[in-house]
Amino acid sequence: QVQLVESGGGLVQAGGSLRLSCAVSGGTFSGYVMGWFRQAPGKEREIVGTISRSGRNTYYVDSVKGRFTISRDNGKNTVYLQMNSLKSEDMGIYYCVAASGVFGTSAGTYNYWGQGTQVTVSS
């Protein structure tokens, strides 16, 4: 049973930073493409970014490029999302995801999802 547990969400002022972490258990972490999705109230879930199994390749949605960074530590079975220069439009529930298949950007690519962690940005 693969489990993904996010942490690090919270309340931050606009322009501030947060780092989300996602610890993975029950599977072979290095075998998964990892990613983050988010969902704001009243909006559809959208991809934030993904990272390949080795960590050498990443993808970011245009709205977070230059502000967010995904990284992974295969020795610690953990993926991170460093979020800088946060804006009100970054608010939402952030979900950690894992895929045993191809590197992709659609929600259907990902087999496993965490419960989510709330990010709130105050202006």
Side-chain angles (χ1 to χ4, degrees):
Q1 183 82 4
V2 178
Q3 290 190 319
L4 285 67
V5 179
E6 304 99 334
S7 60
L11 172 65
V12 64
Q13 285 190 326
S17 299
L18 281 176
R19 187 175 85 151
L20 306 184
S21 299
C22 173
V24 179
S25 61
T28 305
F29 180 75
S30 60
Y32 296 123
V33 172
M34 299 299 299
W36 292 90
F37 280 72
R38 68 185 179 188
Q39 187 165 22
K43 294 189 177 180
E44 292 188 356
R45 193 171 295 185
E46 67 168 351
I47 190 166
V48 176
T50 63
I51 187 166
S52 64
R53 293 171 176 83
S54 67
R56 284 193 290 269
N57 297 304
T58 55
Y59 163 87
Y60 300 96
V61 68
D62 285 347
S63 59
V64 308
K65 283 180 181 176
R67 300 188 298 120
F68 289 13
T69 303
I70 294 177
S71 61
R72 65 189 295 162
D73 186 334
N74 285 351
K76 294 183 178 180
N77 292 359
T78 302
V79 64
Y80 305 97
L81 180 65
Q82 178 66 45
M83 305 186 293
N84 298 328
S85 303
L86 281 159
K87 306 175 181 180
S88 57
E89 51 262 45
D90 295 318
M91 276 199 296
I93 300 174
Y94 282 68
Y95 297 91
C96 176
V97 295
S100 55
V102 300
F103 185 81
T105 60
S106 67
T109 301
Y110 295 88
N111 313 81
Y112 306 106
W113 290 70
Q115 293 292 324
T117 186
Q118 177 72 47
V119 171
T120 303
V121 182
S122 65
S123 55

